[in-house]
Amino acid sequence: MKISQINIYPIKSLGGINLIDANVEVSGFQYDRNWMLVDQNGKFLTQRTLPEMALLQVALEKDHLLVYHSLKTSERIKIPIDELSGEKIKSNVWDDAVTTMHVSAEVDKWFSSQLNVNCHLVKMDLENKRYIENKYSFNNEHVSFADSMPFLLIGQSSLDDLNSKLKEPLPMTRFRPNIVFTGGQAFAEDDWKDIQIGQLRFRVTKPCARCVMTTINQETGTKGKEPLKTLAQYRNVGGKILFGQNLIALDKGKIAVGEEIKPYSIPI
Protein backbone atom coordinates (compact mmCIF):
# COMPACT_ATOMS: atom_id res chain seq x y z
CA MET A 1 0.00 0.00 0.00
CA LYS A 2 1.35 3.41 -0.97
CA ILE A 3 0.43 7.07 -0.57
CA SER A 4 -1.23 8.35 -3.76
CA GLN A 5 -2.39 11.81 -2.66
CA ILE A 6 -1.46 14.43 -0.08
CA ASN A 7 -3.89 17.33 0.21
CA ILE A 8 -4.09 20.48 2.29
CA TYR A 9 -6.93 22.98 2.63
CA PRO A 10 -5.30 26.20 3.86
CA ILE A 11 -8.62 28.05 4.25
CA LYS A 12 -11.27 25.90 5.88
CA SER A 13 -13.98 24.76 3.42
CA LEU A 14 -12.33 26.35 0.37
CA GLY A 15 -10.58 24.43 -2.40
CA GLY A 16 -7.74 22.06 -1.60
CA ILE A 17 -4.16 21.87 -2.85
CA ASN A 18 -2.60 18.61 -4.01
CA LEU A 19 1.05 18.23 -2.94
CA ILE A 20 3.93 15.88 -3.74
CA ASP A 21 5.14 16.01 -0.13
CA ALA A 22 4.18 17.83 3.05
CA ASN A 23 5.54 18.70 6.47
CA VAL A 24 3.81 16.82 9.28
CA GLU A 25 3.12 18.96 12.34
CA VAL A 26 1.23 18.20 15.55
CA SER A 27 -1.82 20.18 14.42
CA GLY A 28 -1.86 18.75 10.87
CA PHE A 29 0.05 19.31 7.66
CA GLN A 30 1.83 22.66 7.42
CA TYR A 31 -0.69 25.37 6.41
CA ASP A 32 -3.65 22.98 6.52
CA ARG A 33 -6.74 24.86 7.75
CA ASN A 34 -4.66 27.62 9.28
CA TRP A 35 -7.24 30.20 8.08
CA MET A 36 -11.04 30.24 8.13
CA LEU A 37 -13.96 32.50 7.36
CA VAL A 38 -16.27 33.55 10.17
CA ASP A 39 -19.52 35.50 10.26
CA GLN A 40 -20.18 38.74 12.16
CA ASN A 41 -20.53 36.75 15.40
CA GLY A 42 -17.27 34.84 14.96
CA LYS A 43 -18.96 31.57 13.97
CA PHE A 44 -17.08 29.54 11.37
CA LEU A 45 -18.48 29.32 7.83
CA THR A 46 -18.43 26.20 5.67
CA GLN A 47 -19.93 24.75 2.51
CA ARG A 48 -22.68 23.22 4.65
CA THR A 49 -24.50 26.56 4.59
CA LEU A 50 -22.56 28.30 1.80
CA PRO A 51 -21.94 25.67 -0.92
CA GLU A 52 -20.56 28.39 -3.21
CA MET A 53 -17.42 28.35 -1.04
CA ALA A 54 -16.42 25.31 -3.15
CA LEU A 55 -15.82 27.67 -6.07
CA LEU A 56 -13.09 29.61 -4.25
CA GLN A 57 -9.78 27.94 -5.01
CA VAL A 58 -6.48 28.40 -3.18
CA ALA A 59 -2.91 28.25 -4.48
CA LEU A 60 0.15 28.17 -2.23
CA GLU A 61 2.83 30.55 -3.50
CA LYS A 62 6.19 31.63 -2.10
CA ASP A 63 5.03 34.07 0.57
CA HIS A 64 1.26 34.22 0.15
CA LEU A 65 -1.93 32.35 -0.57
CA LEU A 66 -3.58 33.19 -3.89
CA VAL A 67 -7.36 32.83 -3.68
CA TYR A 68 -9.45 32.99 -6.87
CA HIS A 69 -12.94 32.16 -8.10
CA SER A 70 -12.87 29.03 -10.28
CA LEU A 71 -15.55 30.39 -12.65
CA LYS A 72 -14.27 33.99 -12.64
CA THR A 73 -10.50 33.59 -12.52
CA SER A 74 -9.89 37.34 -12.76
CA GLU A 75 -11.45 37.62 -9.29
CA ARG A 76 -8.44 37.01 -7.03
CA ILE A 77 -6.67 38.20 -3.92
CA LYS A 78 -3.31 37.58 -2.23
CA ILE A 79 -3.06 36.76 1.49
CA PRO A 80 0.35 36.98 3.21
CA ILE A 81 1.31 33.67 4.80
CA ASP A 82 3.51 34.90 7.64
CA GLU A 83 1.57 37.99 8.72
CA LEU A 84 1.14 37.81 12.51
CA SER A 85 0.03 41.32 13.43
CA GLY A 86 -3.74 41.06 13.09
CA GLU A 87 -6.18 42.06 15.81
CA LYS A 88 -7.13 39.14 18.04
CA ILE A 89 -10.81 38.23 17.97
CA LYS A 90 -12.95 35.48 19.47
CA SER A 91 -14.16 32.82 17.03
CA ASN A 92 -15.93 29.48 17.22
CA VAL A 93 -15.30 26.11 15.55
CA TRP A 94 -18.21 23.87 16.52
CA ASP A 95 -18.19 23.91 20.34
CA ASP A 96 -14.64 25.25 20.61
CA ALA A 97 -14.09 28.91 21.44
CA VAL A 98 -10.77 29.97 19.92
CA THR A 99 -8.74 33.16 19.83
CA THR A 100 -7.89 34.04 16.23
CA MET A 101 -6.13 36.83 14.35
CA HIS A 102 -8.07 39.04 11.96
CA VAL A 103 -6.33 39.23 8.56
CA SER A 104 -7.52 42.56 7.13
CA ALA A 105 -10.55 44.65 6.20
CA GLU A 106 -9.50 44.50 2.53
CA VAL A 107 -9.57 40.70 2.56
CA ASP A 108 -12.93 40.72 4.38
CA LYS A 109 -14.39 42.95 1.68
CA TRP A 110 -13.24 40.61 -1.10
CA PHE A 111 -14.64 37.46 0.50
CA SER A 112 -17.90 39.19 1.48
CA SER A 113 -18.35 40.25 -2.13
CA GLN A 114 -17.65 36.77 -3.51
CA LEU A 115 -19.99 35.00 -1.08
CA ASN A 116 -22.65 37.72 -0.69
CA VAL A 117 -22.41 37.54 3.08
CA ASN A 118 -20.58 39.74 5.58
CA CYS A 119 -17.60 37.74 6.81
CA HIS A 120 -14.06 37.99 8.14
CA LEU A 121 -10.98 35.96 7.35
CA VAL A 122 -9.08 34.90 10.46
CA LYS A 123 -5.85 33.04 11.04
CA MET A 124 -4.75 30.64 13.77
CA ASP A 125 -3.15 32.27 16.78
CA LEU A 126 -0.30 29.93 17.67
CA GLU A 127 -0.28 31.20 21.24
CA ASN A 128 -3.81 29.88 21.77
CA LYS A 129 -3.90 26.21 20.90
CA ARG A 130 -7.08 24.23 20.24
CA TYR A 131 -6.58 20.87 21.94
CA ILE A 132 -8.28 17.68 20.81
CA GLU A 133 -10.49 15.70 23.16
CA ASN A 134 -8.58 13.90 25.91
CA LYS A 135 -9.99 10.51 24.97
CA TYR A 136 -8.31 10.75 21.56
CA SER A 137 -5.10 12.39 22.72
CA PHE A 138 -1.74 10.61 22.91
CA ASN A 139 0.49 13.51 23.93
CA ASN A 140 -1.84 16.48 24.45
CA GLU A 141 -2.18 17.10 20.71
CA HIS A 142 -3.77 20.23 19.30
CA VAL A 143 -5.50 20.81 15.99
CA SER A 144 -5.92 23.61 13.46
CA PHE A 145 -9.38 24.75 12.29
CA ALA A 146 -10.19 21.23 11.03
CA ASP A 147 -13.49 19.88 12.33
CA SER A 148 -11.93 17.70 15.04
CA MET A 149 -8.66 15.93 14.12
CA PRO A 150 -5.37 16.90 12.46
CA PHE A 151 -5.47 14.36 9.59
CA LEU A 152 -8.06 12.46 7.53
CA LEU A 153 -7.09 9.31 5.65
CA ILE A 154 -9.07 7.35 3.01
CA GLY A 155 -8.14 4.31 0.93
CA GLN A 156 -8.72 4.54 -2.83
CA SER A 157 -10.22 1.05 -2.64
CA SER A 158 -12.89 2.39 -0.29
CA LEU A 159 -13.93 5.03 -2.83
CA ASP A 160 -13.83 2.43 -5.62
CA ASP A 161 -16.21 0.28 -3.56
CA LEU A 162 -18.59 3.21 -3.11
CA ASN A 163 -18.41 4.17 -6.77
CA SER A 164 -19.32 0.62 -7.79
CA LYS A 165 -22.68 1.25 -6.09
CA LEU A 166 -23.35 4.70 -7.58
CA LYS A 167 -24.93 5.55 -10.92
CA GLU A 168 -22.30 8.25 -11.41
CA PRO A 169 -18.87 7.82 -9.80
CA LEU A 170 -17.63 10.60 -7.54
CA PRO A 171 -14.09 11.99 -7.20
CA MET A 172 -12.13 11.83 -3.95
CA THR A 173 -12.45 15.61 -3.66
CA ARG A 174 -15.98 15.14 -2.28
CA PHE A 175 -14.45 13.75 0.93
CA ARG A 176 -11.60 16.24 1.42
CA PRO A 177 -8.98 13.79 2.76
CA ASN A 178 -5.45 14.80 3.68
CA ILE A 179 -4.00 11.40 2.82
CA VAL A 180 -5.12 8.88 0.18
CA PHE A 181 -3.50 5.50 -0.33
CA THR A 182 -3.76 2.79 -2.97
CA GLY A 183 -3.66 -0.96 -2.44
CA GLY A 184 -5.36 -3.10 0.16
CA GLN A 185 -8.99 -4.09 0.55
CA ALA A 186 -11.86 -1.61 0.64
CA PHE A 187 -12.14 -0.10 4.11
CA ALA A 188 -8.92 -1.73 5.30
CA GLU A 189 -8.34 1.49 7.23
CA ASP A 190 -11.34 0.68 9.45
CA ASP A 191 -9.29 -1.95 11.26
CA TRP A 192 -6.13 0.07 11.83
CA LYS A 193 -4.99 1.55 15.12
CA ASP A 194 -1.36 2.52 14.48
CA ILE A 195 0.24 3.05 11.08
CA GLN A 196 3.58 4.11 9.66
CA ILE A 197 4.01 6.25 6.55
CA GLY A 198 7.61 6.36 5.42
CA GLN A 199 9.48 6.93 8.69
CA LEU A 200 6.65 8.64 10.57
CA ARG A 201 4.10 7.10 12.92
CA PHE A 202 0.43 7.98 13.18
CA ARG A 203 -2.43 6.83 15.39
CA VAL A 204 -5.96 6.23 14.10
CA THR A 205 -8.30 7.95 16.56
CA LYS A 206 -11.83 7.50 15.22
CA PRO A 207 -13.88 7.04 12.03
CA CYS A 208 -14.98 10.16 10.19
CA ALA A 209 -18.73 10.78 10.33
CA ARG A 210 -19.82 12.35 7.05
CA CYS A 211 -22.21 15.24 6.50
CA VAL A 212 -23.98 17.15 3.76
CA MET A 213 -20.66 18.59 2.50
CA THR A 214 -20.01 15.32 0.67
CA THR A 215 -23.10 16.01 -1.48
CA ILE A 216 -21.70 19.28 -2.85
CA ASN A 217 -20.23 19.19 -6.33
CA GLN A 218 -16.83 20.84 -5.89
CA GLU A 219 -16.81 22.12 -9.48
CA THR A 220 -20.27 23.69 -9.54
CA GLY A 221 -21.06 24.41 -5.87
CA THR A 222 -24.44 22.63 -6.17
CA LYS A 223 -25.93 20.06 -3.79
CA GLY A 224 -27.26 16.60 -4.58
CA LYS A 225 -28.25 13.46 -2.64
CA GLU A 226 -25.19 11.31 -3.17
CA PRO A 227 -23.05 9.86 -1.75
CA LEU A 228 -24.92 10.03 1.58
CA LYS A 229 -27.98 8.22 0.21
CA THR A 230 -25.92 5.20 -0.82
CA LEU A 231 -23.47 5.29 2.07
CA ALA A 232 -26.38 5.23 4.50
CA GLN A 233 -27.30 1.79 3.18
CA TYR A 234 -24.06 0.12 4.24
CA ARG A 235 -21.88 2.54 6.22
CA ASN A 236 -24.38 3.62 8.89
CA VAL A 237 -23.12 2.87 12.39
CA GLY A 238 -25.12 4.15 15.33
CA GLY A 239 -26.87 6.74 13.18
CA LYS A 240 -23.58 8.10 11.76
CA ILE A 241 -22.45 7.57 8.17
CA LEU A 242 -18.76 6.66 8.33
CA PHE A 243 -16.19 7.06 5.56
CA GLY A 244 -12.45 7.58 6.24
CA GLN A 245 -10.40 7.58 9.42
CA ASN A 246 -9.08 10.45 11.54
CA LEU A 247 -5.43 10.45 12.62
CA ILE A 248 -2.98 12.17 14.93
CA ALA A 249 0.76 12.25 14.23
CA LEU A 250 3.15 10.75 16.75
CA ASP A 251 6.22 12.06 14.90
CA LYS A 252 7.13 15.26 13.09
CA GLY A 253 8.84 15.28 9.71
CA LYS A 254 7.84 14.92 6.09
CA ILE A 255 5.89 12.36 4.09
CA ALA A 256 5.65 12.07 0.31
CA VAL A 257 3.50 10.55 -2.40
CA GLY A 258 4.76 7.05 -3.21
CA GLU A 259 5.86 6.19 0.31
CA GLU A 260 4.66 2.93 1.82
CA ILE A 261 1.89 2.88 4.42
CA LYS A 262 1.54 -0.06 6.76
CA PRO A 263 -0.03 -1.02 10.09
CA TYR A 264 2.53 -0.63 12.84
CA SER A 265 2.76 -1.70 16.48
CA ILE A 266 3.74 1.34 18.54
CA PRO A 267 5.26 0.66 21.98
CA ILE A 268 3.44 2.59 24.68
Side-chain angles (χ1 to χ4, degrees):
M1 296 179 287
K2 293 184 177 180
I3 302 303
S4 57
Q5 289 182 31
I6 294 174
N7 303 299
I8 61 171
Y9 309 87
I11 302 177
K12 185 177 179 68
S13 225
L14 268 56
I17 302 173
N18 185 254
L19 302 174
I20 298 300
D21 56 39
N23 292 320
V24 174
E25 301 175 344
V26 172
S27 60
F29 284 130
Q30 185 180 27
Y31 305 127
D32 186 44
R33 297 175 177 94
N34 281 193
W35 293 261
M36 70 175 176
L37 290 165
V38 299
D39 66 13
Q40 297 297 92
N41 298 315
K43 182 181 179 181
F44 74 111
L45 300 174
T46 74
Q47 293 179 33
R48 296 173 182 88
T49 55
L50 291 171
E52 55 268 36
M53 290 175 73
L55 302 180
L56 297 181
Q57 300 299 306
V58 183
L60 181 61
E61 303 200 343
K62 183 178 180 181
D63 56 1
H64 63 269
L65 300 178
L66 174 66
V67 185
Y68 61 95
H69 196 292
S70 63
L71 302 182
K72 300 177 289 184
T73 55
S74 61
E75 297 284 341
R76 53 182 56 205
I77 193 167
K78 292 181 178 181
I79 300 165
I81 288 176
D82 295 324
E83 179 60 56
L84 298 174
S85 59
E87 175 190 2
K88 293 189 179 184
I89 64 174
K90 297 293 184 181
S91 304
N92 291 88
V93 184
W94 296 111
D95 294 330
D96 296 333
V98 292
T99 299
T100 62
M101 293 186 296
H102 180 221
V103 175
S104 75
E106 176 190 1
V107 170
D108 292 349
K109 182 179 179 180
W110 188 88
F111 278 106
S112 297
S113 173
Q114 298 301 319
L115 298 172
N116 294 312
V117 62
N118 288 330
C119 58
H120 305 294
L121 184 71
V122 297
K123 185 180 181 182
M124 284 182 60
D125 178 4
L126 299 180
E127 295 180 356
N128 292 273
K129 294 181 172 60
R130 178 181 169 226
Y131 292 95
I132 68 173
E133 292 184 65
N134 287 335
K135 62 181 177 179
Y136 301 119
S137 176
F138 179 76
N139 190 28
N140 205 28
E141 286 83 9
H142 53 94
V143 63
S144 63
F145 295 139
D147 279 350
S148 64
M149 292 289 156
F151 303 91
L152 174 63
L153 172 142
I154 299 176
Q156 181 63 47
S157 295
S158 302
L159 178 61
D160 294 344
D161 182 86
L162 169 61
N163 279 335
S164 71
K165 298 172 171 61
L166 297 175
K167 290 183 180 179
E168 296 183 9
L170 297 177
M172 189 65 85
T173 52
R174 285 290 187 99
F175 301 95
R176 300 174 68 83
N178 295 112
I179 303 169
V180 180
F181 68 93
T182 56
Q185 299 293 318
F187 305 108
E189 58 269 29
D190 287 357
D191 300 321
W192 293 347
K193 181 179 180 182
D194 298 319
I195 60 173
Q196 182 173 338
I197 302 175
Q199 301 300 312
L200 305 188
R201 303 168 301 161
F202 295 79
R203 169 149 292 171
V204 179
T205 56
K206 64 174 181 173
C208 183
R210 309 314 306 227
C211 69
V212 68
M213 270 189 66
T214 60
T215 69
I216 299 170
N217 185 315
Q218 296 297 294
E219 295 183 356
T220 64
T222 57
K223 287 184 179 180
K225 294 182 178 180
E226 296 291 6
L228 291 183
K229 181 180 177 180
T230 296
L231 282 173
Q233 298 172 14
Y234 76 119
R235 295 290 296 174
N236 190 324
V237 179
K240 295 181 178 181
I241 299 172
L242 307 181
F243 194 83
Q245 295 289 330
N246 289 292
L247 312 176
I248 56 174
L250 303 186
D251 298 310
K252 296 180 183 179
K254 181 176 287 188
I255 66 170
V257 169
E259 289 189 317
E260 184 180 2
I261 179 172
K262 58 186 179 182
Y264 181 81
S265 179
I266 299 175
I268 302 301

